[in-house]
């Protein structure tokens, strides 16, 4: 199910109830059931959905509501608030400041959209007056540096990498040092992704983290990750302790419920979402506007 379809289903579940003549226990339960099925079919973690069901039920106690209460409005507001809670970990993400060096490190599995998102983020900040650059610490995958170079050149972003150096820790340290001397505001370090959560990948990630001391580490998650999101994000969290999430490919066929569940599993905010392959297909994420847009 795509994200837009999830939105449509949630909206119609609520409007079926609010447009009906009687708002009784039966109609209310049917709405909750439809909301929960839509979320589960979109790969939102089953436990989270069960919590959401409980919260909606306890916030709207139909039997005890006084006659003056607008039931329909209360239900609409409760559903909205509970959906916002699902994507809001109440943890403020790091905000880079101009006039100092902000190092941002990217982690994630191969193919998740890391390199693409690094460039999108550098371009995003560049467009807002930050002096931004990219460091390619992926010495594992042949072609990784070329890919970053191509993206960076297209977006006119300075970059650093090496065709010959095989130690990613050295490359990232050298790159960050060089750009620090050149007084860049934002230095984004792209690390290598592997197919799985391999021990070496995590060890390497930790070494790079120690070498470049990032102000922020961002984990990139593909929207289609599904129910595996929780375990994977927890594993990354234990090693790299990322402080923000970017969800990519939200324009694809996945509703992204799994990736959304990673927010709750790791209490980490989503900061951006990728909405396509191009540089500008990148949106800032905030819980309330996201849910408003989802519900149309
Ligand atoms: P990496 O291995 O994690 O660095 O992943 P890449 O950045 O190379 O991305 C893998 C593929 O996903 C590429 O073909 C990208 O163009 C594509 N991609 C990345 N982000 C998005 C997105 O938000 N939407 C779409 N449709 N494709 C994306």
């Amino acid at each position: 199910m795509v994200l837009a379809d999830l939105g449509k289903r949630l909206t119609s579940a609520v409007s079926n109830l609010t447009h009906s003549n009687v708002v009784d226990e039966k109609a209310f339960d049917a709405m909750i059931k439809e909301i929960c099925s839509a979320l589960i079919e979109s790969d939102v973690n089953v436990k989270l959905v069960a919590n959401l069901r409980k919260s909606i039920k306890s916030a709207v106690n139909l039997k005890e509501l006084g006659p003056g209460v607008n039931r329909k409005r209360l239900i609409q507001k409760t559903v909205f608030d509970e959906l916002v809670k699902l994507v809001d970990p109440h943890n403020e993400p790091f905000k880079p400041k101009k006039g100092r060096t902000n190092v941002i490190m990217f982690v994630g599995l191969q193919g998740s959209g890391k390199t693409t998102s690094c460039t999108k983020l550098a371009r995003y900040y560049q467009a807002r007056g930050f002096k931004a650059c990219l460091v390619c610490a992926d010495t594992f995958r042949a072609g990784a540096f070329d890919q970053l170079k191509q993206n960076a050149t297209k977006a006119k972003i300075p970059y650093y990498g090496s065709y010959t150096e095989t130690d990613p820790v050295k490359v990232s340290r050298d790159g960050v040092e060089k750009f620090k001397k050149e007084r860049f505001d934002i230095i984004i370090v792209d690390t290598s992704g592997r197919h799985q959560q391999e021990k070496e990948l995590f060890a390497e990630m930790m070494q790079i983290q120690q070498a470049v001391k990032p102000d922020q580490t961002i984990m990139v998650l593909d929207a289609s990750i599904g129910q595996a999101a929780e375990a994977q994000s927890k594993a990354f969290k234990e090693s790299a302790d990322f402080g923000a999430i970017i969800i990519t490919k939200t324009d694809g066929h996945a509703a992204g419920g799994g990736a959304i569940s990673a927010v709750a599993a790791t209490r980490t905010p989503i900061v951006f979402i990728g909405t396509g392959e191009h540089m500008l297909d990148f949106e800032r994420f905030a819980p309330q506007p996201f849910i408003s847009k989802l519900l149309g």
Side-chain angles (χ1 to χ4, degrees):
M1 185 164 28
V2 297
L3 200 56
D5 290 342
L6 169 64
K8 277 189 206 133
R9 268 185 76 178
L10 296 173
T11 309
S12 78
V14 179
S15 65
N16 279 347
L17 179 71
T18 50
H19 289 127
S20 68
N21 292 330
V22 261
V23 181
D24 58 8
E25 203 76 34
K26 198 173 150 219
F28 182 52
D29 283 346
M31 178 205 72
I32 298 182
K33 196 167 171 226
E34 171 60 7
I35 289 175
C36 291
S37 321
L39 291 171
I40 287 172
E41 280 169 39
S42 306
D43 276 329
V44 176
N45 180 293
V46 178
K47 267 185 269 163
L48 291 178
V49 176
N51 288 341
L52 178 127
R53 179 200 305 262
K54 261 190 242 153
S55 304
I56 296 180
K57 283 279 271 185
S58 66
V60 184
N61 192 341
L62 287 178
K63 279 183 204 128
E64 285 171 19
L65 288 182
V69 177
N70 184 332
R71 297 175 165 215
K72 293 178 180 178
R73 196 170 302 149
L74 175 69
I75 291 168
Q76 265 171 334
K77 186 181 178 320
T78 305
V79 170
F80 181 82
D81 289 349
E82 289 306 320
L83 289 171
V84 168
K85 265 193 220 161
L86 206 58
V87 290
D88 188 358
H90 294 289
N91 244 334
E92 271 300 301
F94 166 79
K95 284 202 180 66
K97 289 184 193 72
K98 280 181 197 156
R100 56 160 286 201
T101 306
N102 304 271
V103 179
I104 303 175
M105 175 175 155
F106 271 59
V107 299
L109 294 189
Q110 187 174 320
S112 57
K114 246 182 311 87
T115 306
T116 310
S117 304
C118 278
T119 327
K120 285 177 175 178
L121 187 67
R123 203 220 60 88
Y124 175 91
Y125 282 125
Q126 194 182 52
R128 280 152 188 80
F130 288 86
K131 206 176 154 195
C133 61
L134 291 162
V135 174
C136 175
D138 185 352
T139 54
F140 179 78
R141 185 167 61 94
F145 181 36
D146 274 333
Q147 190 194 341
L148 180 129
K149 211 165 139 176
Q150 259 178 22
N151 287 350
T153 308
K154 232 191 264 171
K156 298 196 173 62
I157 295 159
Y159 59 85
Y160 179 88
S162 169
Y163 286 112
T164 49
E165 178 56 60
T166 53
D167 177 5
V169 181
K170 180 165 175 11
V171 177
S172 50
R173 186 186 292 122
D174 289 353
V176 168
E177 268 173 21
K178 168 187 147 65
F179 286 129
K180 264 189 180 166
K181 273 192 206 126
E182 295 173 14
R183 300 193 155 274
F184 273 81
D185 298 312
I186 308 250
I187 306 175
I188 298 177
V189 182
D190 188 14
T191 64
S192 74
R194 306 273 163 92
H195 289 298
Q196 289 158 14
Q197 303 147 20
E198 292 153 337
K199 272 206 186 97
E200 302 92 81
L201 167 66
F202 284 152
E204 181 188 297
M205 236 164 38
M206 287 154 84
Q207 284 165 10
I208 294 175
Q209 216 167 24
Q210 277 162 15
V212 304
K213 299 195 174 43
D215 297 283
Q216 180 179 45
T217 299
I218 298 180
M219 181 182 63
V220 177
L221 270 181
D222 184 324
S224 66
I225 179 156
Q227 297 283 352
E230 188 178 344
Q232 194 188 100
S233 55
K234 275 186 177 160
F236 270 97
K237 186 82 179 178
E238 276 162 24
S239 311
D241 193 21
F242 54 84
I245 295 173
I246 289 177
I247 299 182
T248 59
K249 310 183 196 178
T250 59
D251 52 310
H253 292 297
I260 285 171
S261 307
V263 172
T266 58
R267 305 189 60 76
T268 307
I270 301 168
V271 283
F272 286 92
I273 54 174
T275 54
E277 292 192 67
H278 297 290
M279 252 338 94
L280 295 172
D281 299 331
F282 199 53
E283 287 175 17
R284 224 187 197 307
F285 180 93
Q288 291 217 1
F290 176 76
I291 297 298
S292 294
K293 196 172 153 195
L294 184 70
L295 297 178

